[in-house]
């Protein structure tokens, strides 16, 4: 295969702070994960505590944790390869081809649930995940780094058309971080697509289950707050895997290369920071009134409704603009031949799915009360992430659709939150 060491002819704007960001983020984000987990388990759970409650070096590493992470990756790889579910095609690539993807993530979730259920019947100590949480994170960080290094090295033997336009700058640190190759595959096994929704997302709900069982071990029964956090986040993960096919049109799959950014995000950041609420509740139990719980359930339901309805409308319009559910919606023609929705959910705000995401994120944090800021890390971080992602979307859509996008922005002035932003 021809080496692709030649520099890309494409000039792209460097994101995430360019070379400086690409150098600092792979150092500081893993440390942030370990810091947040350490604070979560500390008696005060104060993010401003100094010196910070960092664990002793001997508590950072446990070979059992590494075996669990590697075993989990192998199990999810096996489930990915099972010949169940349908096979869908992705969007057209630069060389005119379309890759095929197995749509069986929901089956992988169900199989994982059955295996965990069998493990509990056989007295598998899932509650011990609370004690292992930091060594598990260290092992996941190590796997993320090793995968990113492998991806960077192998990308130099990928054909030029297989490289991501934004990850082939010639700067080693930036390309390592962003990812050079768009769709790295090993004998048809798509590494980026596999990591996007499988090991990290399903692993997240397994860790949550471990926290619930640890709370039962300590207090005899799970709290209402813990049940809500587990239920909300299980719904979110189940929805993502049930609608797995929709990920084929997302920025992560279509635009971004597979490098450290996505490898670390998928395998470490998601399972160990998105579920901080459950970890927090083990060490810092919270009481929740039935009325308060009902309000939080309604908030999560509203967020989920907006999130699911808007995403379903977008995906249906992309697949078949003539379908009866979207055919009557108002659109704007673009120079590319595609049309932009300016009614329905996408005439409400430009990113209604992000609005639903933010409402759900708030509902996940509220069961933890108001005495600590730490459980609200997710909504703070996620809001910043969505604003940044929205800015990326804006730049790409303006470059792609030109005047049509300007017209759309005039018709739909609010980006995420109506009358606010």
């Amino acid at each position: 295969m021809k080496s692709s060491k030649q520099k890309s002819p494409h000039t792209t704007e460097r994101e995430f702070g360019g070379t400086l960001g690409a150098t600092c983020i792979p150092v500081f984000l893993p440390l942030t994960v370990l810091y947040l987990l350490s604070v979560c388990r500390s008696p005060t759970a104060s993010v401003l505590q100094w010196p910070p409650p960092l664990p002793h070096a001997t508590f950072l590493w446990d070979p059992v944790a590494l075996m669990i992470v590697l075993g989990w990756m192998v199990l999810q790889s096996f489930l990915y390869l099972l010949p169940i579910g349908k096979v869908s095609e992705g969007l057209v690539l630069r060389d005119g081809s379309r890759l095929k993807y197995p749509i069986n993530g929901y089956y992988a979730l169900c199989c994982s649930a059955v295996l965990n259920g069998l493990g509990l019947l056989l007295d598998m100590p899932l509650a011990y995940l609370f004690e292992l949480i930091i060594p598990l994170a260290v092992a996941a960080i190590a796997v993320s780094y090793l995968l990113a290094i492998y991806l960077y090295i192998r990308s130099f033997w990928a054909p030029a058309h297989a490289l991501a336009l934004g990850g082939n700058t010639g700067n080693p640190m930036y390309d390592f971080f962003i990812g050079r190759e768009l769709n790295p595959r090993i004998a048809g096994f798509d590494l980026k697509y596999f990591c996007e929704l499988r090991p990290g997302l399903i692993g997240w709900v397994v860790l949550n289950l471990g926290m619930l069982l640890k709370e039962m071990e300590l207090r005899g029964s799970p709290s209402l707050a813990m049940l809500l956090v587990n239920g909300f986040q299980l719904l979110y993960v189940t929805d993502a895997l049930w609608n797995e096919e929709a990920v084929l049109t997302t920025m992560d799959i279509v635009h971004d290369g597979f490098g450290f950014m996505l490898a670390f995000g998928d395998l470490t950041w998601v399972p160990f920071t998105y579920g901080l609420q459950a970890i927090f509740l083990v060490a810092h139990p919270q009481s929740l009134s039935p009325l308060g719980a009902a309000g939080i359930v309604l908030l999560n339901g509203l967020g989920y409704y907006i999130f699911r309805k808007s995403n379903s409308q977008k995906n249906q319009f992309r697949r078949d603009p003539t379908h009866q559910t979207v055919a009557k919606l108002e659109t704007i023609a673009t120079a590319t031949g595609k049309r932009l929705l300016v009614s329905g959910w996408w005439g409400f705000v430009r990113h209604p799915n992000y609005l639903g995401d933010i409402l759900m994120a708030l509902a996940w944090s509220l069961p933890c009360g108001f005495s600590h800021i730490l459980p609200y890390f997710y909504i703070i971080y996620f809001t910043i992430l969505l604003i940044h992602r929205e800015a990326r979307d804006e730049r790409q859509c303006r470059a792609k659709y030109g005047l049509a996008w300007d017209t759309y922005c005039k018709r739909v002035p609010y980006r995420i939150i109506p009358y606010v932003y």
Side-chain angles (χ1 to χ4, degrees):
M1 186 178 290
K2 183 179 178 182
S3 172
S4 59
K5 293 184 180 180
Q6 66 272 17
K7 290 187 178 181
S8 168
H10 304 282
T11 57
T12 57
E13 180 182 352
R14 297 186 185 183
E15 301 176 289
F16 300 97
T19 304
L20 179 62
T23 303
C24 295
I25 291 174
V27 176
F28 287 107
L29 277 192
L31 293 177
T32 299
V33 171
L34 299 180
Y35 172 73
L36 290 172
L37 293 174
S38 299
V39 172
C40 235
R41 289 162 48 95
S42 70
T44 61
S46 172
V47 294
L48 300 178
Q49 180 180 343
W50 191 263
L54 299 178
H56 191 274
T58 55
F59 294 102
L60 291 175
W61 180 253
D62 190 322
V64 173
L66 178 62
M67 295 304 296
I68 291 174
V69 170
L70 293 178
W72 182 251
M73 295 288 289
V74 170
L75 170 63
Q76 293 305 318
S77 299
F78 171 76
L79 296 176
Y80 174 94
L81 293 171
L82 287 179
I84 54 177
K86 66 177 181 178
V87 175
S88 292
E89 290 186 332
L91 299 184
V92 178
L93 300 175
R94 293 203 302 276
D95 66 347
S97 65
R98 299 178 71 173
L99 297 175
K100 295 183 182 296
Y101 298 89
I103 309 299
N104 59 9
Y106 180 73
Y107 297 103
L109 174 65
C110 293
C111 290
S112 299
V114 170
L115 291 174
N116 276 283
L118 290 174
L120 290 175
L121 290 176
L122 298 173
D123 294 325
M124 183 173 65
L126 269 179
Y128 189 58
L129 291 175
F130 179 74
E131 279 75 21
L132 273 182
I133 197 71
I134 291 178
L136 284 169
V138 171
I141 290 167
V143 170
S144 301
Y145 264 108
L146 290 173
L147 176 59
I149 291 169
Y150 164 75
L151 292 167
Y152 181 72
I153 293 173
R154 65 161 277 155
S155 70
F156 288 96
W157 283 268
H161 66 78
L163 300 180
L165 297 181
N168 188 26
T169 66
N171 182 295
M173 290 304 301
Y174 185 79
D175 292 349
F176 167 80
F177 173 72
I178 292 293
R180 294 187 80 243
E181 194 172 356
L182 186 61
N183 301 294
R185 290 189 163 205
I186 300 175
F189 188 103
D190 194 291
L191 296 171
K192 182 170 69 170
Y193 175 69
F194 166 72
C195 290
E196 184 76 10
L197 293 180
R198 309 299 182 96
L201 217 61
I202 302 175
W204 168 17
V205 294
V206 173
L207 288 175
N208 276 358
L209 175 61
M211 301 308 111
L212 184 148
L213 293 172
K214 183 63 179 180
E215 187 178 55
M216 292 179 63
E217 183 181 287
L218 293 173
R219 302 180 186 97
S221 63
S223 65
L224 181 55
M226 179 68 82
L227 289 172
L228 288 183
V229 168
N230 268 260
F232 292 161
Q233 296 181 355
L234 176 61
L235 171 65
Y236 187 82
V237 170
T238 302
D239 175 87
L241 292 164
W242 179 262
N243 297 283
E244 183 180 23
E245 190 173 7
V247 81
L248 301 181
T249 61
T250 60
M251 182 181 293
D252 286 357
I253 298 295
V254 175
H255 176 267
D256 294 334
F258 194 27
F260 179 84
M261 178 181 71
L262 287 181
F264 175 81
D266 293 340
L267 302 181
T268 304
W269 188 259
V270 167
F272 292 100
T273 66
Y274 284 25
L276 279 176
Q277 298 89 352
I279 303 169
F280 172 85
L281 288 171
V282 173
H284 308 277
Q286 303 290 318
S287 60
L288 194 61
S289 69
L291 183 61
I296 295 172
V297 169
L298 287 175
L299 177 63
N300 190 77
L302 174 63
Y304 178 73
Y305 180 81
I306 295 172
F307 172 81
R308 176 45 40 217
K309 285 293 186 179
S310 59
N311 272 325
S312 296
Q313 190 175 79
K314 175 187 67 175
N315 295 330
Q316 184 60 62
F317 183 75
R318 285 177 172 175
R319 286 197 303 267
D320 181 12
T322 63
H323 193 274
Q324 61 179 357
T325 59
V326 293
K328 295 182 180 180
L329 295 176
E330 187 179 354
T331 61
I332 294 175
T334 71
T336 65
K338 295 183 178 180
R339 303 187 71 86
L340 298 173
L341 280 174
V342 289
S343 63
W345 286 103
W346 299 86
F348 178 54
V349 288
R350 294 181 217 165
H351 297 276
N353 51 338
Y354 292 178
L355 173 61
D357 253 328
I358 291 172
L359 293 177
M360 285 189 289
L362 178 59
W364 299 355
S365 301
L366 287 174
C368 299
F370 300 100
S371 59
H372 296 81
I373 192 66
L374 184 61
Y376 292 84
F377 170 82
Y378 174 74
I379 185 174
I380 295 169
Y381 148 77
F382 203 55
T383 300
I384 295 171
L385 172 71
L386 291 179
I387 291 173
H388 175 264
R389 185 175 292 175
E390 181 274 332
R392 294 179 76 196
D393 290 343
E394 288 281 325
R395 288 195 300 270
Q396 291 184 16
C397 289
R398 182 162 280 108
K400 184 176 182 180
Y401 300 120
L403 292 176
W405 184 254
D406 293 333
T407 303
Y408 172 69
C409 291
K410 290 178 182 177
R411 289 285 303 274
V412 187
Y414 297 104
R415 298 168 184 250
I416 299 176
I417 303 175
Y419 306 104
V420 177
Y421 176 76

